[in-house]
Amino acid sequence: MSFKKLLPLTLALLFAFATTALAAETFKVAVGDPEDSEQGVAANAFKKYIEEKTNGEVKVDCFFAGALGDESEAFRNVQKGTLPFAVGGIANLVPFEKRLGLLTLPYLFDNLDEVVAGTNGKPAELLNSYAVKAGFRVLAWTYTDFRYISNSKKPIKTMADMQGLKFRVPQSAVLIASYKAFGGSPTPISWAETFTALQQGVVDGQCYGYIGFRAMKFNEANQKYLTEVHYTYQLQPLVMSERVYRKMSPEMQKLVVEAGAYAQEEVLKYQKENGDAAKADLIAGGLIVDQLEDEALWKKAAMEKVWPEMADFVGGKDAINEYLTACGKAPWNN
């Protein structure tokens, strides 16, 4: 048989092999936030990439606003391998691997550029190595802005204004310690119950970025005042089950990793392009936005109180410095 006659047959066989390697399948993704949020953008970008690259042979179904259970439950199912993918707040992943709690340390990042650097390259590889040991694989980091503090009672312009206010926080020892150091009263409440807790006055306030605030309609839950405090950047990983990953063909493994990278790029672009627009919409709707007059004191309280208190909780000083070194930052000398 001549080469010209053999070539089409070879190409056909290769195509058949690739199609078999990426056999028709449908994957579920649990998403904690509504679809019109950064989490929603990340999940839909992930879905788009996989379905387009496989010509629809592999489908991805996204379930938004906790439709498959709250974020903690979703992560637990991902770890067990009964759910392939989930997107949720980093604090809800910490119970499975405490070193990921590094990312919740107050004033770890000064700005978005540092956040991006800390979730790519060597820092991302280090964080993923922690996650894999706990049964997860981080495919993307959802950039969800700094956790600005909002409340129903009064403007917060100084640390003293935190006194007497009750705040909803996730089940995060670091965030609880942070709010206590800042003078507030933290109350752990699940994400699914947050809107109702704010609406009924169980707590006075919460913390979230502008896009998430708007998506959750917190302005309809008595949140009148917001302060742009930069104590922590909300990172929300898109993770997959390591058990599921190991059962995939090499071709499928490569595809989900590429889809995760695409989703991370898309959500970063979305955050940059839409954060200010969400802020403007909320202000037009009556939200009062303030800046801190004494943020240096907040950072001082974080470094002198919260970091020493929470160091062991997030893996110890060595783990903290391992991550800081990967980020090109100076080690923490307590």
Side-chain angles (χ1 to χ4, degrees):
M1 184 180 292
S2 69
F3 176 75
K4 287 185 177 180
K5 292 182 179 180
L6 184 61
L7 182 59
L9 178 61
T10 302
L11 291 174
L13 288 172
L14 287 172
F15 177 78
F17 173 77
T19 303
T20 302
L22 299 177
E25 193 164 1
T26 299
F27 292 109
K28 292 181 179 180
V29 182
V31 188
D33 281 355
E35 187 170 3
D36 57 343
S37 66
E38 294 98 334
Q39 285 189 18
V41 170
N44 279 328
F46 183 74
K47 169 186 173 73
K48 175 186 175 183
Y49 189 94
I50 288 180
E51 293 184 349
E52 286 185 354
K53 291 296 182 180
T54 63
N55 293 318
E57 285 294 310
V58 179
K59 296 188 181 299
V60 177
D61 289 339
C62 300
F63 296 83
F64 301 99
L68 296 183
D70 66 24
E71 292 181 359
S72 295
E73 181 182 357
F75 283 147
R76 192 177 304 112
N77 290 333
V78 168
Q79 186 188 48
K80 291 189 296 186
T82 56
L83 178 67
F85 304 98
V87 190
I90 187 64
N92 291 316
L93 203 56
V94 174
F96 303 99
E97 172 49 66
K98 65 181 183 180
R99 286 173 295 182
L100 293 174
L102 289 163
L103 296 174
T104 66
L105 287 171
Y107 292 99
L108 175 66
F109 303 115
D110 288 333
N111 51 55
L112 180 57
D113 289 340
E114 288 192 4
V115 174
V116 173
T119 47
N120 283 280
K122 290 183 178 179
E125 292 172 7
L126 181 61
L127 293 170
N128 192 49
S129 72
Y130 299 156
V132 167
K133 290 179 181 178
F136 304 90
R137 181 167 292 265
V138 178
L139 298 178
W141 291 99
T142 302
Y143 301 105
T144 321
D145 214 340
F146 284 94
R147 296 191 73 125
Y148 299 137
I149 295 175
S150 71
N151 81 98
S152 60
K153 301 292 187 181
K154 60 182 179 179
I156 296 173
K157 297 183 180 181
T158 68
M159 194 183 298
D161 295 328
M162 293 284 284
Q163 294 290 334
L165 294 177
K166 296 178 293 183
F167 293 94
R168 177 271 169 185
V169 295
Q171 188 63 52
S172 164
V174 175
L175 286 177
I176 291 170
S178 298
Y179 273 78
K180 289 180 179 178
F182 300 150
S185 178
T187 302
I189 295 174
S190 73
W191 187 235
E193 297 172 346
T194 298
F195 184 93
T196 302
L198 292 168
Q199 195 174 49
Q200 295 180 350
V202 176
V203 288
D204 303 310
Q206 61 83 51
C207 53
Y208 220 56
Y210 287 114
I211 294 173
F213 186 109
R214 183 176 62 178
M216 292 297 293
K217 302 184 185 333
F218 284 147
N219 56 311
E220 297 178 11
N222 303 317
Q223 297 303 281
K224 302 175 183 177
Y225 308 96
L226 182 145
T227 302
E228 293 188 350
V229 52
H230 306 88
Y231 72 104
T232 189
Y233 193 96
Q234 172 74 330
L235 286 164
Q236 303 187 316
L238 163 60
V239 299
M240 78 169 298
S241 170
E242 185 64 11
R243 293 184 181 186
V244 174
Y245 179 83
R246 290 178 181 177
K247 293 178 182 178
M248 287 179 168
S249 68
E251 292 80 10
M252 194 65 208
Q253 289 178 341
K254 182 174 183 290
L255 179 63
V256 296
V257 170
E258 290 175 348
Y262 173 77
Q264 184 165 317
E265 290 176 0
E266 288 299 295
V267 76
L268 178 60
K269 185 190 307 180
Y270 178 83
Q271 172 60 235
K272 289 180 175 179
E273 292 176 352
N274 292 277
D276 288 342
K279 176 181 177 178
D281 286 348
L282 291 166
I283 291 174
L287 182 69
I288 298 171
V289 175
D290 288 294
Q291 307 296 322
L292 282 180
E293 298 171 359
D294 61 349
E295 191 154 16
L297 293 179
W298 294 61
K299 186 171 184 177
K300 185 173 184 289
M303 303 307 295
E304 293 182 356
K305 296 179 181 179
V306 184
W307 281 50
E309 180 185 348
M310 289 289 106
D312 289 341
F313 181 81
V314 299
K317 185 175 180 179
D318 288 345
I320 293 172
N321 283 334
E322 182 180 30
Y323 179 70
L324 291 175
T325 298
C327 292
K329 289 173 170 279
W332 174 51
N333 294 310
N334 178 39

